[in-house]
Structure formats: C-alpha cells, structure tokens
Amino acid sequence: MDYNPMPTILPAENFDIEADAAALRAAMKGFGTDEKAIIDMLTARSNAQRQKIKEHFLREYGRDLIDDLKSELEGRFEGVIVGLMLRPVEYLCKQLHKAMEGAGTNESTLVEILCTKSNDEMADIVSCYENMYDRPLVEHICSETSGHFRRLLTLIVTGVRDPAGTVDAEKAKELAQALYNAGEAKLGTDEEVFNRILAHSSFAQLRLIFEEYKQLSGQTIEQAIKHEMSGKLHDAMMAIVECVQSPPTFFAIRLFKAMDGIGTDDTTLIRIIVSRSEIDLGNIKQEFERLYNRTLYSAVKSETSGDYKRALCALLGGC
C-alpha cells in the first residue's frame, strides 16, 4: 500500500536560533526548571532545527544542551526530550544498543527497528552504530541472536535488499512458487528460502510476490508464516510483511500492544512517537483510530501522566 506520509512535527516558521537557545537556557537556569517551556519549544521544532539550537547552545554558552537537559529532567519525560535532541539515526542506534547490552536481548526492539527499514536507512544506521560504539552492528547482532532469526537480521543489516525497488511480475510468480515449495508444499519448512526472499526483494516486489502467493496457494502470506514459523523468526517475518503492506498499520498495532493490558511499555511508546513524528505519525494516528475505534491521543493520555504525558501529546499534535 502506497501512502502519503503525514508527519505531526514540521519545521517551525520564523525560526530564531538565538532566541530559542536563550529561552532554553532561561528554562533551566537557577532554581527549578520550566518544563512547560522546554516541551512547548522542542515539540514545535524539527529535528534539524533542534540540532542547530544544540550547536548554538554550545557556541554561545559553552554547554552541552543534552547534558543540561539530562541534569534537569528525569524518568520517562527525560527519555522523550533527550530522544528529540538526538539525530534520528543516533536515536535508533542508541535504542538498538540498549536492546542488546547487558543480560538478555530485547528481540522485539531489533525487529521493530531493523525489519522496517529501506537499504539506505539501514546503511545510515550501520555506519552511525559503528561510529558510536566502535563495533560493527552486524557483529553485535550475531553475538546476541541465533539460528534463522540471526540469519534474517544479518541479511537485512548487510543491505542485500534490492536498492532499485525493482518490480518484475514474472520474477514475482517464480518467487511466490519458491515460497510455496519451501513451506506449505513440503513437510517441514525451508526457512532459508523465506529468509532470502524476504530480505533480498524490494518492498514493492514483495507486495507483488505476496499477491501472487495468494493466487497460487489460496491463502495469504501471513497465514503461511503463521503455520510455518514460530518465535522471533515469525515476528520478524510478520514485521516485514506488515511494513510492505502498510507501515502505519504496523506501528499502530505496536503502539496498541505497548499500552494494552496492565502496565505500559513506555520504551516502545516513546520510541515510536519520537522516531515517527517527522515521518508518518499522522498516518499512524489514523490507522490506530481505524483499528481500535479510539484516538491514539486519548489512549496515550490515559496511559501517561505529568510532563511525560504533555510531551507525548504535543508530539501527537492533539486529537
């Protein structure tokens, strides 16, 4: 599904770096912090504008704006604001690193970030990760994952997806047949074939392959993956399929799951709202309302509180 991306955060008009830097300095200087001033400003500037404010802050005051914000803010609210101040690619690299450091690995974060990216976006993440952590991303992933799941992520990270976005109807038929032969048509599953096709083909080509698959087998690729795969490999393949069909739907479902039931997965909530705010958060809001019959704004409002709530709601741009 092709869609017209609708961000909720746009560059501020009449942008005045000096005034913004001075206002931020004033909001944090002396006793107490003016959290409202920080929220109102940073959620109304694009990331490129925030980077300029950060550079000016260092030149003008000799201070690191992120360090100052960290010393003044705390908890989940700090997570939102610091996330906004990092370049988008740095933010995602930090999230990947956090998902893999220490005991245990948060595979679902790896899936959400890695399985939804184009080759160009992936190349930026790979180069930024190595700069930030002095370690190749692919090596870190290999040390934290295993089996066919590791193989799929490795293929995605090494950038094997067709960069030209080629769409070839004959090839789509051939690959749909290959998927059928590797799954439903045999006893057991040849995961390598699924991995290769899902990691190499462009998203536009995959869309065609999935249509052909349905014609050929009488069931959707989602049904096939559900029958043939399990665990994290199943989740990763489903993420690719969902993003091929509609990225906003994929993220709307992730947000719902982050808020469903007892407790809230704040890390996922923050990451999606911050990282998609300048891409397609407007579309995600529409999909959320279509799927769950309530606005994303009202869901976030009921799951959060205080400055944390105010910052997320500002990024959502109201109801």
Side-chain angles (χ1 to χ4, degrees), residues 112-259:
E112 180 202 301
I113 296 174
L114 303 174
C115 295
T116 59
K117 300 291 173 279
S118 69
N119 256 8
D120 287 347
E121 290 168 324
M122 204 60 257
D124 286 346
I125 288 171
V126 164
S127 122
C128 180
Y129 195 91
E130 191 155 1
N131 284 341
M132 285 173 77
Y133 299 107
D134 204 22
R135 178 180 192 182
L137 175 58
V138 71
E139 183 213 289
H140 200 173
I141 286 169
C142 281
S143 72
E144 295 293 325
T145 56
S146 61
H148 294 294
F149 177 59
R150 171 167 68 189
R151 179 79 183 123
L152 179 59
L153 293 190
T154 305
L155 286 169
I156 290 167
V157 169
T158 49
V160 297
R161 197 175 296 291
D162 170 23
T166 314
V167 179
D168 178 334
E170 279 311 303
K171 185 83 175 158
K173 283 191 174 121
E174 186 189 310
L175 293 175
Q177 184 70 55
L179 286 172
Y180 182 72
N181 294 346
E184 283 181 82
K186 72 194 289 278
L187 193 62
T189 309
D190 187 344
E191 290 90 352
E192 274 304 306
V193 173
F194 275 80
N195 273 352
R196 190 177 68 244
I197 294 171
L198 265 63
H200 280 79
S201 308
S202 70
F203 276 19
Q205 179 72 0
L206 282 173
R207 207 170 302 147
L208 203 52
I209 294 168
F210 299 158
E211 283 167 20
E212 290 294 341
Y213 188 90
K214 194 171 179 195
Q215 295 283 320
L216 171 74
S217 75
Q219 66 169 353
T220 64
I221 192 72
E222 292 97 321
Q223 289 168 317
I225 289 169
K226 200 172 176 183
H227 294 159
E228 303 292 333
M229 308 293 165
S230 61
K232 289 301 159 191
L233 181 63
H234 164 273
D235 297 349
M237 288 189 176
M238 287 302 288
I240 294 170
V241 170
E242 285 167 13
C243 271
V244 162
Q245 291 168 346
S246 167
T249 305
F250 170 78
F251 287 108
I253 294 167
R254 292 273 302 178
L255 285 168
F256 178 78
K257 287 180 179 167
M259 295 183 281

Side-chain angles (χ1 to χ4, degrees), residues 8 248 252 255 280-290 294-297 313 315-319:
T8 54
L255 285 168
D280 57 359
L281 191 52
N283 310 79
I284 293 167
K285 282 166 62 177
Q286 285 181 346
E287 276 303 288
F288 191 94
E289 189 165 359
R290 184 183 72 79
R294 73 179 297 196
T295 65
L296 178 55
Y297 186 86
C313 287
L315 290 171
L316 287 167
C319 55

Side-chain angles (χ1 to χ4, degrees), residues 24 29 49-50 63 74 94 101 106 112 116-117 125 132 135 145 174 199 206 272 277 281 298 306-307:
L24 280 171
K29 208 174 173 187
Q49 290 174 331
R50 291 181 215 122
R63 303 179 68 89
E74 55 186 25
K94 256 187 153 25
E101 69 178 341
N106 186 332
E112 180 202 301
T116 59
K117 300 291 173 279
I125 288 171
M132 285 173 77
R135 178 180 192 182
T145 56
E174 186 189 310
L206 282 173
I272 295 176
S277 59
L281 191 52
S298 71
D307 293 315

Side-chain angles (χ1 to χ4, degrees), residues 99-110:
M100 293 187 284
E101 69 178 341
T105 304
N106 186 332
E107 289 95 348
S108 116
T109 299
L110 300 184

